[in-house]
Amino acid sequence: MPRREAVCYLAPQMLDVLVRGGKVCDGTGTPARTADVAIAAGRVVAVGRVDEPARHTIDAGGLVVAPGFVDVHTHYDAQVTWDRLCTPSCWHGVTSVVIGNCGFALAPCRAADRERVLRMLENVEGMPFASLAAGVVWEWESFPEYLRALRARPLGPNVGALLGHSALRAWVLGEAAYDRAATSGEIAEMQRLVREAMAAGALGVATSRSPAHVGEGGRPVPSRRATRVEVNALVAAMAESGRGVLEITPETFPLGDDELAWLQELARATQRPVSFSAVLDVPDRPDVWEPLYARLAAGVATGAAVFPQVSCRPMRFDFDLDTGCASLDVMPCWRRWREAPSAAARRALVADPAFRAAVKAETVGRSASPAARRWQEVTLEESARPEHQGFLGRSLAAIAAARGGDPIDALLDLSADAGFRARFAMLLVNYDEDRVGALLRRPESLIALSDAGAHVSVLCDAGYATHLLGHWVRERGLFAWEEAVRRLTAMPAAIYGVADRGLLAPGRVADVTCFDPARVGACAPEKVSDFPGGVARYVVRAEGIAHVLIGGEPFVADGRWTGAYPGAVLAPSGGASRGSAAARC
């Protein structure tokens, strides 16, 4: 083993934990070195050669020792109230999660509005209402009360919260939040509540302007009714604290020039960073992001700290025709299906040649198009019919070749045979790996977008960190280990102003993840029925995560949870007022 360099201590004291002999990637992106990490009173006190004894020693030989991973785009707002471990993120070396993204949050919320808020989460974030209704124990109305409720009970990972714009508008405007712009007086009241939230410990403000974000009954979520003047006012109120980030799902996808110019000017004017979601590989528009990144880089260089959130995973959706499929729901021809009053009516529709022809025309009609290829590559994942078992895991194109017809015939026939409950999987975006890799390599790209806690009945991307390390680093060599660790730790912590996390350095909170570089990775999604009310969800388990410490306390040891709840509600810091600094850290 290479000689470990000597180092001075932050302060002489008895060590609580010594992580000995690992390959330390400290989060800065500088070359890794074999070193020990000494921990006392929950903080790192030394990184180097440490000879003093410790109450607990972890042999990290052969492991990479990194800061704990920081997942800034989760939707655990409801789940954390019944699942304090925030599974499955905690299995993947994630030690800090950020909630409230896209403006969808549980606070502020008056008692009379609770069901409406849960219905919005059910519709826009794919959270099962039965679990929300059974699992959320309401102990708050205001945002500060929500943070106090989180602090009052043990936490597994650390949790940081953004103030959700839709929740804020509903609190101030009531039912009108869904229908109109705010008055100047209402904006002033929202600004007051933003200041209150920042004082209570919010990491920033989150909002959505995306047309895809609709709540119960197809109504736009409240934040979509806000003007840019309103958003500017809220970010200005946030910036008065000298910290905070704006997280936004923009109105246009891909992000248009006008909207980007607005966000860049907002970042310059407030000197606060902006993070938007999402940048995804669009199969039929492969060069759509090139001009955007040129403008992002120019903006960051001049103080407009705007960072796109980029997913490192192919976006896979599981669906059945009984509960719905977003890729079909957006097609005009599918309206007849949605409006069919019964299963018998749907079976008759499936047998209607005119309906089939319309569906084919809007899916596989152009056989060479990327959209057509996506439908051909849809796989059958689950069916209760014995005669379907030989088709499990096979594409619709392969099934059609075996049965006759085309992929849409296979989809409709297999589904009808199984009472419309046969489960299929579709890759929507991010499956051209060369183009995804090019997006990930961009220095402005914030690797995130796990959406953990949301869409649990159709997908699970909570394992994005282990997927990045196993697939993109070990298998494809896209990054060095040091740079991949920086992207998962120091960069998100700096942009979101997470105090004392993201680096292994004396004085920092001792959030530490030790992983085996030869094994680290994310497993295939699996379905479990562990949500309140026995509701099923998808989870992804991890490989190669050996040890995790949170606040210096062992949380995972030899790949298993220790039973500890060492997490805290994250304390915010000044954050990154200049984008270039955040990108480098």
Side-chain angles (χ1 to χ4, degrees):
M1 177 183 296
R3 179 180 176 85
R4 296 190 296 275
E5 62 186 73
V7 70
C8 294
Y9 288 97
L10 178 70
Q13 52 192 301
M14 178 65 179
L15 301 179
D16 294 322
V17 180
L18 181 61
V19 182
R20 184 178 293 283
K23 178 181 178 181
V24 175
C25 294
D26 62 10
T28 64
T30 56
R33 63 196 189 278
T34 299
D36 308 322
V37 178
I39 298 166
R43 291 185 179 264
V44 176
V45 296
V47 180
R49 192 179 76 187
V50 178
D51 296 322
E52 282 71 11
R55 295 184 179 91
H56 179 59
T57 298
I58 296 172
D59 180 4
L63 303 178
V64 172
V65 180
F69 306 145
V70 181
D71 185 350
V72 296
H73 197 118
T74 80
H75 291 278
Y76 283 127
D77 306 66
Q79 185 180 328
V80 71
T81 67
W82 72 74
D83 173 16
R84 297 281 166 154
L85 293 178
C86 295
T87 59
S89 291
C90 66
W91 305 339
H92 293 268
V94 170
T95 58
S96 296
V97 300
V98 177
I99 61 177
N101 282 282
C102 309
F104 308 133
L106 295 183
C109 179
R110 294 183 177 87
D113 295 329
R114 288 170 178 169
E115 181 173 345
R116 181 172 61 186
V117 167
L118 296 185
R119 289 293 184 188
M120 181 175 67
L121 294 180
E122 175 190 32
N123 281 273
V124 75
E125 290 297 339
M127 299 177 185
F129 179 79
S131 292
L132 295 174
V136 177
V137 179
W138 295 88
E139 301 172 325
W140 64 86
E141 288 196 350
S142 71
F143 183 84
E145 289 170 346
Y146 178 72
L147 290 188
R148 284 199 290 272
L150 289 181
R151 292 187 182 108
R153 294 184 179 178
L155 291 171
N158 307 303
V159 178
L162 300 166
L163 176 63
H165 190 188
S166 281
L168 180 64
R169 288 192 105 243
W171 176 272
V172 173
L173 279 73
E175 185 68 22
Y178 292 83
D179 299 321
R180 64 170 173 83
T183 66
S184 58
E186 290 163 340
I187 291 174
E189 175 60 10
M190 283 189 275
Q191 286 184 299
R192 184 189 71 79
L193 292 170
V194 169
R195 297 184 189 103
E196 177 186 80
M198 297 305 293
L203 295 182
V205 173
T207 189
S208 172
R209 304 176 69 78
S210 171
H213 284 159
V214 295
E216 186 180 8
R219 292 193 301 176
V221 297
S223 63
R224 287 180 53 197
R225 297 302 192 188
T227 64
R228 289 185 181 181
V229 170
E230 178 180 323
V231 176
N232 291 351
L234 300 187
V235 178
M238 176 192 79
E240 292 173 13
S241 66
R243 56 180 179 79
V245 62
L246 170 66
E247 187 275 335
I248 183 169
T249 305
E251 187 173 2
T252 52
F253 180 88
L255 186 66
D257 289 349
D258 175 67
E259 198 164 14
L260 175 58
W262 167 54
L263 295 179
Q264 288 180 318
E265 180 53 36
L266 184 57
R268 284 193 191 95
T270 62
Q271 287 296 284
R272 303 312 315 152
V274 175
S275 179
F276 71 89
S277 59
V279 167
L280 300 163
D281 173 52
V282 184
D284 51 352
R285 290 179 286 179
D287 300 322
V288 72
W289 298 114
E290 290 297 324
L292 173 72
Y293 269 99
R295 296 188 65 188
L296 284 170
V300 168
T302 59
V306 179
F307 298 94
Q309 295 185 18
V310 181
S311 173
C312 66
R313 289 178 58 84
M315 187 168 287
R316 163 184 155 148
F317 283 89
D318 282 36
F319 68 92
D320 61 60
L321 300 190
D322 184 48
T323 55
C325 170
S327 293
L328 290 170
D329 288 342
V330 298
M331 300 188 324
C333 70
W334 202 251
R335 182 176 179 178
R336 293 177 63 193
W337 174 273
R338 295 195 306 273
E339 294 176 350
S342 65
R346 287 180 168 181
R347 282 193 292 272
L349 196 59
V350 165
D352 179 355
F355 177 72
R356 287 197 177 220
V359 176
K360 292 176 184 181
E362 295 189 36
T363 52
V364 297
R366 294 178 298 139
S367 60
S369 72
R373 290 197 300 273
R374 282 202 301 275
W375 283 105
Q376 292 164 2
E377 293 165 3
V378 165
T379 56
L380 176 65
E381 298 295 312
E382 184 179 299
S383 174
R385 301 283 294 192
E387 63 270 27
H388 293 172
Q389 301 312 297
F391 296 131
L392 297 183
R394 299 179 65 183
S395 70
L396 290 181
I399 295 171
R403 287 170 49 101
D406 66 16
I408 297 305
D409 290 321
L411 172 73
L412 297 177
D413 290 341
L414 293 173
S415 186
D417 290 348
F420 302 114
R421 294 181 181 176
R423 183 169 59 86
F424 302 88
M426 167 184 271
L427 287 176
L428 286 179
V429 293
N430 265 24
Y431 55 84
D432 186 310
E433 294 215 324
D434 290 338
R435 295 204 298 262
V436 174
L439 294 174
L440 295 174
R441 287 183 63 90
R442 297 279 191 169
E444 300 82 16
S445 291
L446 175 58
I447 299 172
L449 211 64
S450 80
D451 256 3
H455 312 296
V456 295
S457 64
V458 295
L459 61 82
C460 179
D461 283 339
Y464 79 104
T466 48
H467 180 77
L468 179 78
L469 296 169
H471 180 71
W472 288 105
V473 178
R474 184 181 63 243
E475 296 175 7
R476 288 188 59 101
L478 184 72
F479 297 124
W481 294 107
E482 295 89 341
E483 174 63 7
V485 166
R486 185 186 75 84
R487 294 293 194 96
L488 294 171
T489 58
M491 184 175 179
I495 293 171
Y496 275 68
V498 177
D500 291 340
R501 263 92 177 174
L503 292 171
L504 290 182
R508 293 278 180 156
V509 174
D511 291 350
V512 184
T513 293
C514 305
F515 62 87
D516 181 351
R519 296 180 54 240
V520 67
C523 301
E526 62 180 279
K527 205 169 191 178
V528 298
S529 298
D530 63 352
F531 259 24
V535 175
R537 62 166 175 155
Y538 283 99
V539 299
V540 170
R541 302 189 187 275
E543 292 281 357
I545 298 295
H547 304 280
V548 177
L549 295 94
I550 300 178
E553 185 174 350
F555 178 65
V556 172
D558 296 319
R560 297 186 178 184
W561 177 45
T562 64
Y565 288 90
V569 174
L570 287 170
S573 67
S577 62
R578 293 284 181 179
S580 57
R584 286 197 311 268
C585 65

